């Protein structure tokens, strides 16, 4: 445990976001993405901030590593690729479905015990194949199914009820909330429901970065270290083939990264340096280059981040611009795109 008395909950307010990325077309700023960014040093202190890093916000699936830590602390006996899947926002590939079935089998449960919402696979190519084959939405295919299977097994191991495992007052969700506060170092501001049906806890962007920093710096063999190792060693089990967070973990040695809906990303290096990003309008086209720029601010060699610098803007089928982090975020001078 990191603190027996977390700090007060972040303030619930309209976030004071700032410009974090420009859409540049033909040398002119065509559009602006607003958001917030925080960079923590290895000592846990804020090294850089942009926008509003202290307002209450919802980390969405970027908090899944913390939820996985909570389940391990409650006795969940997973490691390796199945633990990575328990912290996943997966693409719905067959390996993800098979892994979720394995967790359910280990618990003596079935897909019918899941309470996440039925859905088609998250990955567009996998989803298109499902549709062509006439397959219907399922709870296994939904991107949070690994987490839900792990939640069920954790509840069963503790003799907690299964039918209501998603209720905020359920012992499982209370245990998760406790670890969210422990690792983030602050009280939860609000509780609502995530897209998959699980409770979603509001903390600050700063708190999210602090939580994942504590996960990567934990002692070997601890629940935190087990989650970090599993996700880094099996990055595509926590996401999917071709996903940007998996590619980022492959490109930067020792990096742990997790994305979340509505433009959230958190990443941390083994020495505790960490970044967290929230794009106000939820755009992935801004999330990726802004997160890369934040990592460069944290000291990651820019050469490792070149494939994450931002997608091109096209005109008439040719490149006429780009999505570029704002100058105050870029750690080095970069040429203006076309």
């Amino acid at each position: 445990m990191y603190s027996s008395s977390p700090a007060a909950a972040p303030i619930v307010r309209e976030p004071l976001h700032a410009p974090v990325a420009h859409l540049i077309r033909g040398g002119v700023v065509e559009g602006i993405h607003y958001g917030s960014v925080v960079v923590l040093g290895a000592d846990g202190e804020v090294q850089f901030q942009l926008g509003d890093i202290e307002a209450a916000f919802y980390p969405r699936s970027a908090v899944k590593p913390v939820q996985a830590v909570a389940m391990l602390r409650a006795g969940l006996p997973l490691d390796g690729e199945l633990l990575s899947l328990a912290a996943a926002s997966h693409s719905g590939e067959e390996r993800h479905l098979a892994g979720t079935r394995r967790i359910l089998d280990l618990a003596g449960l079935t897909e019918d015990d899941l309470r996440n919402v039925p859905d088609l696979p998250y990955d567009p190519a996998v989803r298109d194949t499902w549709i062509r084959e006439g397959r219907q939405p399922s709870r296994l295919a939904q991107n949070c199914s690994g987490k839900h299977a792990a939640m069920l097994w954790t509840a069963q191991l503790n003799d907690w009820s299964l039918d209501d495992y998603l209720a905020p007052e359920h012992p499982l969700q209370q245990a998760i909330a406790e670890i969210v506060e422990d690792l983030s170092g602050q009280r939860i501001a609000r509780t609502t429901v995530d897209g998959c049906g699980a409770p979603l806890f509001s903390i600050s962007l700063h708190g999210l970065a602090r939580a994942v920093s504590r996960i990567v710096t934990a002692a070997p063999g601890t629940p935190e270290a087990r989650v970090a190792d599993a996700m880094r060693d099996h990055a595509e089990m926590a996401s999917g083939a071709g996903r940007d967070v998996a590619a980022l973990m492959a490109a930067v040695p020792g990096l742990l990264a997790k994305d979340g809906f509505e433009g959230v990303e958190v990443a941390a290096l083994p020495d505790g340096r960490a970044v967290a990003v929230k794009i106000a309008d939820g755009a992935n086209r801004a999330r990726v280059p802004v997160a890369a720029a934040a990592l460069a601010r944290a000291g990651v060699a820019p050469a490792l981040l070149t494939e994450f610098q931002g997608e091109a803007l096209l005109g008439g089928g040719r490149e006429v611009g780009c999505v570029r982090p704002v100058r105050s975020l870029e750690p080095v001078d970069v040429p203006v795109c076309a």
Side-chain angles (χ1 to χ4, degrees):
M1 295 292 185
Y2 291 92
S3 173
S4 58
S5 55
I11 298 173
V12 177
R13 65 184 179 212
E14 181 177 344
L16 304 174
H17 291 309
V20 294
H22 288 154
L23 280 64
I24 303 173
R25 183 182 297 269
V28 173
V29 175
E30 183 179 35
I32 301 173
H33 288 288
Y34 283 72
S36 297
V37 180
V38 61
V39 178
L40 302 184
D43 59 359
E45 295 299 314
V46 175
Q47 302 298 309
F48 176 85
Q49 61 180 304
L50 187 61
D52 194 343
I53 69 170
E54 302 297 354
F57 94 121
Y58 290 118
R60 303 300 298 268
S61 287
V63 81
K64 283 179 178 175
V66 180
Q67 292 172 312
V69 169
M71 289 187 277
L72 291 187
R73 289 193 188 181
L76 181 67
L78 287 179
D79 280 295
E81 65 177 9
L82 293 185
L83 178 53
S84 184
L85 182 61
S89 300
H90 64 70
S91 292
E93 301 163 21
E94 289 302 325
R95 58 177 161 173
H96 300 129
L97 277 62
T100 301
R101 290 191 192 97
R102 285 169 59 194
I103 296 173
L104 291 169
D105 287 345
L106 288 166
L109 301 170
T110 70
E111 181 180 355
D112 291 338
D113 294 298
L114 295 170
R115 292 292 180 267
N116 59 317
V117 293
D119 201 357
L120 293 169
Y122 175 73
D123 182 83
V126 180
R127 183 169 60 246
D128 288 348
T129 298
W130 269 58
I131 293 172
R132 285 196 303 270
E133 294 174 350
R135 300 172 73 175
Q136 299 300 309
S138 79
R139 298 185 193 277
L140 283 178
Q142 198 269 337
N143 75 89
C144 301
S145 64
K147 178 184 78 174
H148 281 254
M151 285 181 170
L152 278 168
W153 195 10
T154 304
Q156 184 191 66
L157 290 167
N158 286 277
D159 293 322
W160 297 329
S161 58
L162 301 185
D163 289 346
D164 61 341
Y165 75 93
L166 296 182
E169 64 274 11
H170 191 280
L172 170 66
Q173 302 303 336
Q174 290 294 303
I176 291 173
E178 179 182 342
I179 304 310
V180 169
E181 293 186 338
D182 181 34
L183 291 176
S184 70
Q186 60 189 177
R187 297 292 184 190
I188 291 166
R190 295 280 176 87
T191 301
T192 187
V193 182
D194 210 340
C196 66
L200 177 61
F201 306 112
S202 180
I203 52 176
S204 69
L205 195 66
H206 186 181
L208 176 64
R210 183 165 47 232
V212 177
S213 175
R214 287 173 166 176
I215 288 174
V216 298
T217 56
T222 60
E224 293 91 332
R226 288 165 59 192
V227 169
D229 289 344
M231 293 182 69
R232 289 183 295 216
D233 292 345
H234 305 278
E236 290 192 352
M237 204 64 167
S239 54
R243 293 274 291 278
D244 59 84
V245 285
L248 188 61
M249 284 192 274
V252 181
L255 184 74
L256 174 64
K258 184 69 186 77
D259 56 345
F261 280 163
E262 298 303 325
V264 181
E265 183 156 343
V266 64
L269 294 154
D271 64 0
R273 287 174 289 161
V275 307
V277 169
K278 164 64 180 175
I279 305 300
D281 61 5
N284 280 328
R285 69 177 179 180
R287 172 183 59 81
V288 176
V290 169
L295 283 168
R297 273 273 178 188
V300 174
L304 299 177
L305 302 168
T306 53
E307 67 176 290
F308 309 101
Q309 287 183 344
E311 65 183 62
L313 298 182
L314 302 180
R318 63 185 181 88
E319 184 175 338
V320 296
C322 67
V323 180
R324 175 77 72 193
V326 295
R327 292 289 184 178
S328 60
L329 183 55
E330 292 280 13
V332 295
D333 191 38
V334 293
V336 176
C337 53

